Amino acid sequence: MKKCMVLLAVSALIAAQVFAAPQFTGDFSFDYKTDFDGNVTRDGEGDASHAAELSFGLESDLWDLDVKTIGESDQSVGDVKASATLKINEILNTIEVSLPVTVKLYAGNQSPSGTSVYSNPSGAEDDFSLSSSDIAGDNLPIAVSVAYEDLVSVKGGVDIIDSGYFFGTELNPVEGIAVAFNVVDQADFDDYTVTGMGMSASTDVDVAVLAGLGFDLSVSGSGYFAVDDSSKNNYFAAVTGGKDAFSLYAEYTNEQKVNNLYFGGSYEVTDEFTTSAGVAVEDLDDIAFGAWAKAAYTIADIDTYVKYGFSGNGDDASDHYVKTGLSFSF
């Protein structure tokens, strides 16, 4: 913790000297899960791996510097990570050179991961992201992004020491349609590592925008592909919709050849109070039902919730649980 505070103090002094605009942001959360057997675990709606994440940023016309530390779940403080972004357009403008695209160079303790435009209504995709296990933040990998307005962006990264690479692109050809594609050399799907090249692709079509509907309706899909082992592939597809304070979704997932269905909806009672509920049909070859109901309330910019649910058909007391917690950001 002392190392983190010293680093932040030094960064603040540097900021005062170079007239960069300092920014201090972060988030904190805690969640508890209590099953009907009386067991209490640290397992909730937020990121169970840490309680807090703090970031200190310095921002200038030519570059940005971000310093981040994470409070781990074992109450220790994680390593301090730092990364810098060089704004190539602004740098070239100082010698009167202009570019038709926006170019940025990234360096530092970063681990580039793929973007997804999938709607992810049930949160099933939360456990997945595409990155390379050959890209280590401690090796100070470098990356570059090129974007043309809001239509297309491309980002590539490389770990020179471990020879890992990452490439990703996002397209918005017309309003209402978004597509993303990513590829890495040694794939990590977040939940597990895949041997060999991996890819991910996603799309989201806002039918309401394209057809001029008077209610919300979109169709979305996503896939994670292991080039050398198709048994580790994962697929997601969802239809979401709503009107005013109501929203509904239906989602299908195929996670390593296990098929699942999810249905849910929410109602925004007020700007601060929302209720939601859902049903899960997991493993269609050996069906197990689950369900949940949740109430969420925001007070003084602090998000709180309580949730009841069960899995595995609710046959055992341990299958039933209550989750509660809070989170806030600044």
Side-chain angles (χ1 to χ4, degrees):
M1 186 64 181
K2 290 182 179 179
K3 181 172 67 172
C4 174
M5 296 307 296
V6 170
L7 186 55
L8 294 179
V10 171
S11 299
L13 290 175
I14 295 174
Q17 296 298 318
V18 300
F19 304 103
Q23 296 180 334
F24 185 59
T25 61
D27 62 71
F28 172 84
S29 67
F30 76 85
D31 312 84
Y32 292 111
K33 176 184 178 182
T34 305
D35 65 37
F36 282 26
D37 275 346
N39 298 314
V40 181
T41 57
R42 163 79 168 90
D43 182 7
E45 303 297 281
D47 186 343
S49 68
H50 69 270
E53 179 176 297
L54 300 176
S55 299
F56 182 78
L58 302 176
E59 190 175 295
S60 78
D61 292 338
L62 305 180
W63 50 262
D64 294 339
L65 176 64
D66 294 302
V67 181
K68 180 182 296 184
T69 185
I70 296 176
E72 303 294 349
S73 57
D74 62 0
Q75 299 183 0
S76 65
V77 175
D79 292 337
V80 175
K81 305 293 185 181
S83 60
T85 302
L86 300 181
K87 305 172 184 178
I88 304 302
N89 295 69
E90 285 75 4
I91 293 174
L92 293 179
N93 284 343
T94 63
I95 56 174
E96 299 182 349
V97 175
S98 61
L99 298 176
V101 294
T102 301
V103 181
K104 295 182 179 181
L105 178 66
Y106 307 86
N109 305 127
Q110 56 182 328
S111 297
S113 59
T115 60
S116 175
V117 296
Y118 180 60
S119 59
N120 193 28
S122 74
E125 199 192 34
D126 288 345
D127 293 330
F128 295 86
S129 66
L130 180 67
S131 60
S132 171
S133 57
D134 277 350
I135 297 181
D138 292 342
N139 289 339
L140 304 180
I142 58 175
V144 61
S145 68
V146 180
Y148 179 70
E149 298 182 346
D150 294 329
L151 297 178
V152 59
S153 63
V154 177
K155 186 173 183 178
V158 60
D159 183 331
I160 298 175
I161 296 175
D162 287 343
S163 301
Y165 69 83
F166 160 86
F167 172 83
T169 184
E170 186 170 333
L171 305 172
N172 298 276
V174 297
E175 185 180 5
I177 297 178
V179 178
F181 174 78
N182 311 277
V183 60
V184 299
D185 62 325
Q186 292 291 328
D188 188 332
F189 287 168
D190 196 13
D191 236 9
Y192 54 90
T193 300
V194 178
T195 301
M197 182 183 295
M199 297 181 292
S200 70
S202 59
T203 184
D204 184 72
V205 178
D206 192 328
V207 180
V209 169
L210 295 175
L213 303 178
F215 55 90
D216 298 329
L217 179 63
S218 67
V219 179
S220 191
S222 178
Y224 292 77
F225 310 98
V227 174
D228 297 330
D229 187 357
S230 61
S231 67
K232 294 184 178 180
N233 291 351
N234 305 272
Y235 309 93
F236 305 84
V239 177
T240 61
K243 176 70 173 177
D244 299 328
F246 287 96
S247 64
L248 298 169
Y249 69 82
E251 182 176 30
Y252 163 78
T253 73
N254 181 307
E255 301 176 37
Q256 299 186 76
K257 295 189 174 182
V258 177
N259 298 287
N260 312 286
L261 291 174
Y262 301 96
F263 305 92
S266 66
Y267 176 65
E268 189 175 286
V269 182
T270 67
D271 290 340
E272 296 80 21
F273 181 46
T274 301
T275 60
S276 56
V279 175
V281 186
E282 299 180 336
D283 192 352
L284 299 183
D285 293 329
D286 185 16
I287 291 178
F289 287 95
W292 56 269
K294 177 181 175 182
Y297 186 73
T298 300
I299 180 172
D301 293 327
I302 298 175
D303 298 322
T304 65
Y305 76 92
V306 61
K307 179 180 181 180
Y308 160 74
F310 70 86
S311 59
N313 296 319
D315 294 335
D316 299 323
S318 60
D319 293 334
H320 296 258
Y321 62 87
V322 173
K323 292 183 181 181
T324 187
L326 62 80
S327 63
F328 60 85
S329 301
F330 56 89

